[in-house]
Amino acid sequence: MCAGARSKGAACVGGATRSKRVPRAVREQQMLDAGVRAFARSGYQNASMDDIAELAGVSKPLVYLYLNSKDELFTACLRREAAALVTAIRAAVERGAPADRQLWSGLSGFFAHTAAHPDGWTLLHVQARTQGRSFAREVVAMRAEIVEFVTQLIGAAAREQARGAARARTLAGPEVSGLAHALVGAAESLADWTADPRAGGPSAKEATATLMNFAWAGLGNLLRGQGWSPERVG
Amino acid sequence: MCAGARSKGAACVGGATRSKRVPRAVREQQMLDAGVRAFARSGYQNASMDDIAELAGVSKPLVYLYLNSKDELFTACLRREAAALVTAIRAAVERGAPADRQLWSGLSGFFAHTAAHPDGWTLLHVQARTQGRSFAREVVAMRAEIVEFVTQLIGAAAREQARGAARARTLAGPEVSGLAHALVGAAESLADWTADPRAGGPSAKEATATLMNFAWAGLGNLLRGQGWSPERVG
């Protein structure tokens, strides 16, 4: 594989490889790009380091030199994609806006990011989950961060509502947490549909509108103390 | 492993094994029970046929005689758990009741089943997804059946509502489908939380109440034509 690498500016010297023109940080990102694509499409077991090196346009020894092992490459891919997703959501949220507007902007950011990075989403949501405990932990931590963020948002909205209206019922902590889990699960499900090109799912914008309608018209009622109970119907 | 099998009533004869007292159908279910538990807890790669045979109290040759291979055992486990889940949901739904009552009863059935069968749920929702295309297909088909069932339910509710109130807006097909995806994803997320004994999540009953509140107070508004739009807020 050294021939291909050399043609792109990396030199093979006795198994070790050194980039001449491309800085290491840039090369690493190219390797991670290739890794995300290969792992998302073939899974951890089936994706080969040969394929990943070829996709990245570098030699296999260079991939090992920079990222040590398939295991560490996979972890680096996961971390980068998880951080990018969390950053995209946080950047999209309109701080200081009313709670529903904050939620809407956050969901817009989430669906825009997952639609633009379907391989990254597949890596996080499908491939990472069963590839051993350490990989699962990375994703569980990222998901917990998102759930916590949504929990804070719903909690703040509930307190805001409670100050404004005497009728409003304060949602209990576990209930807020449950709603956040439900909302995150709903978003994941729609993101899977959006990210799968064969599924004929909605665009990022349509997914945002659907979930926002579903979630907020529901949350909005809950926050005003208008829940649903089986006793209401016959 | 024949010693253990013989003590439970199976006889080893030159590699082939025959059950003397326990009917084949019962033995197979015991093997599937053991498979579901082992695959859910260790994953497909790490679960060994030795462990599964021991868990089932039979010899390893008997497992191979009945189920051919680890691959076929895994598939049989998946099929049984998928069928059981779909059956539990269908059986729980109160046919002919108002739409919200139908949804509530279906969700009750879903959460009661996943809470009672956490290994089966883990197998379907976590382990099966990345274990090769054929396994993923089984689960994708089951999930599609559930989404379709929920889509029908929401569609029927929308038509019911449209007949009753002049103001009601008829939800478009893709929108109904999107809502069904959102609802199923929310239910999966809460089921993961409920099924994980270390997560301190809600009981099946609490999960049902949370999701029903979230979903119906939201869907109820949508069906009355009261959606959310970003234009409404500042």
Side-chain angles (χ1 to χ4, degrees):
Chain A
M1 297 299 296
C2 270
R6 199 173 293 128
S7 72
K8 302 227 172 191
C12 273
V13 187
T17 314
R18 203 158 51 85
S19 166
K20 271 183 182 159
R21 290 199 295 268
V22 182
R24 176 168 180 150
V26 175
R27 271 275 182 258
E28 275 191 8
Q29 291 308 311
Q30 291 168 342
M31 291 175 194
L32 295 184
D33 290 344
V36 168
R37 185 166 162 191
F39 291 132
R41 296 181 184 194
S42 309
Y44 180 80
Q45 304 292 341
N46 296 331
S48 79
M49 290 297 261
D50 283 310
D51 294 343
I52 290 167
E54 199 177 325
L55 263 175
V58 298
S59 70
K60 193 161 79 168
L62 191 65
V63 180
Y64 279 106
L65 183 70
Y66 281 9
L67 290 149
N68 288 321
S69 64
K70 190 176 176 183
D71 196 283
E72 287 186 39
L73 172 61
F74 191 78
T75 303
C77 289
L78 273 188
R79 286 199 181 138
R80 189 185 76 171
E81 295 306 309
L85 177 58
V86 171
T87 302
I89 297 170
R90 289 190 180 274
V93 170
E94 295 177 17
R95 304 271 170 178
D100 57 344
R101 183 91 196 179
Q102 285 195 46
L103 184 60
W104 176 72
S105 53
L107 288 174
S108 299
F110 172 76
F111 286 116
H113 185 86
T114 52
H117 303 88
D119 287 336
W121 175 246
T122 302
L123 188 74
L124 291 174
H125 195 227
V126 180
Q127 298 297 354
R129 299 181 63 169
T130 56
Q131 296 306 332
R133 284 168 197 278
S134 65
F135 296 147
R137 258 202 297 272
E138 300 277 339
V139 177
V140 165
M142 175 208 71
R143 192 178 193 273
E145 191 179 339
I146 294 178
V147 170
E148 179 56 30
F149 183 65
V150 175
T151 303
Q152 296 295 336
L153 198 63
I154 298 174
R159 285 190 298 275
E160 194 179 286
Q161 194 83 30
R163 275 198 299 274
R167 276 188 63 219
R169 154 178 92 100
T170 308
L171 292 173
E175 207 171 353
V176 170
S177 192
L179 291 169
H181 274 85
L183 184 57
V184 169
E188 289 169 337
S189 177
L190 285 170
D192 281 349
W193 199 23
T194 302
D196 182 354
R198 294 158 305 178
S203 67
K205 216 170 162 181
E206 288 164 343
T208 306
T210 294
L211 186 52
M212 191 63 204
N213 258 314
F214 182 50
W216 197 259
L219 280 175
N221 272 339
L222 282 185
L223 296 174
R224 284 192 296 277
Q226 293 162 7
W228 179 94
S229 80
E231 289 70 34
R232 275 202 196 168
V233 291
Chain B
M1 301 298 294
C2 270
R6 200 174 292 127
S7 73
K8 303 229 172 188
C12 273
V13 187
T17 315
R18 204 158 50 86
S19 165
K20 272 183 178 159
R21 291 200 296 268
V22 182
R24 175 167 180 150
V26 175
R27 272 275 183 257
E28 274 191 8
Q29 291 307 312
Q30 290 168 342
M31 291 174 195
L32 295 183
D33 289 344
V36 168
R37 186 168 161 188
F39 291 132
R41 297 181 184 193
S42 308
Y44 180 79
Q45 304 293 343
N46 295 331
S48 78
M49 291 296 261
D50 283 309
D51 294 344
I52 291 167
E54 200 176 324
L55 262 175
V58 300
S59 69
K60 194 160 79 168
L62 190 65
V63 180
Y64 279 105
L65 182 71
Y66 281 9
L67 290 149
N68 289 321
S69 64
K70 191 176 173 183
D71 196 284
E72 287 187 39
L73 172 62
F74 191 78
T75 303
C77 288
L78 274 188
R79 287 199 179 138
R80 190 186 75 171
E81 295 306 309
L85 177 58
V86 171
T87 301
I89 297 170
R90 290 191 179 275
V93 170
E94 294 177 18
R95 304 270 172 178
D100 58 344
R101 184 90 196 177
Q102 284 194 47
L103 183 60
W104 175 71
S105 54
L107 288 174
S108 299
F110 172 75
F111 287 116
H113 185 85
T114 53
H117 303 90
D119 287 336
W121 175 245
T122 302
L123 187 74
L124 291 174
H125 193 229
V126 180
Q127 299 297 353
R129 298 182 64 167
T130 55
Q131 297 305 334
R133 286 168 195 279
S134 66
F135 295 148
R137 259 203 297 273
E138 299 277 339
V139 175
V140 165
M142 174 208 71
R143 192 178 193 273
E145 190 179 338
I146 294 178
V147 170
E148 178 56 31
F149 183 64
V150 175
T151 302
Q152 296 294 336
L153 198 64
I154 298 175
R159 286 190 297 277
E160 195 179 286
Q161 194 84 30
R163 275 197 300 274
R167 277 188 62 218
R169 153 178 93 101
T170 306
L171 292 173
E175 206 170 357
V176 170
S177 192
L179 292 168
H181 274 86
L183 184 57
V184 169
E188 288 169 337
S189 178
L190 286 169
D192 281 348
W193 199 24
T194 303
D196 182 353
R198 293 157 307 176
S203 68
K205 215 169 162 183
E206 287 162 344
T208 306
T210 293
L211 186 51
M212 191 62 204
N213 259 312
F214 182 50
W216 196 260
L219 279 176
N221 272 339
L222 282 185
L223 297 173
R224 282 191 298 275
Q226 294 162 7
W228 179 94
S229 81
E231 289 71 34
R232 275 202 195 170
V233 291

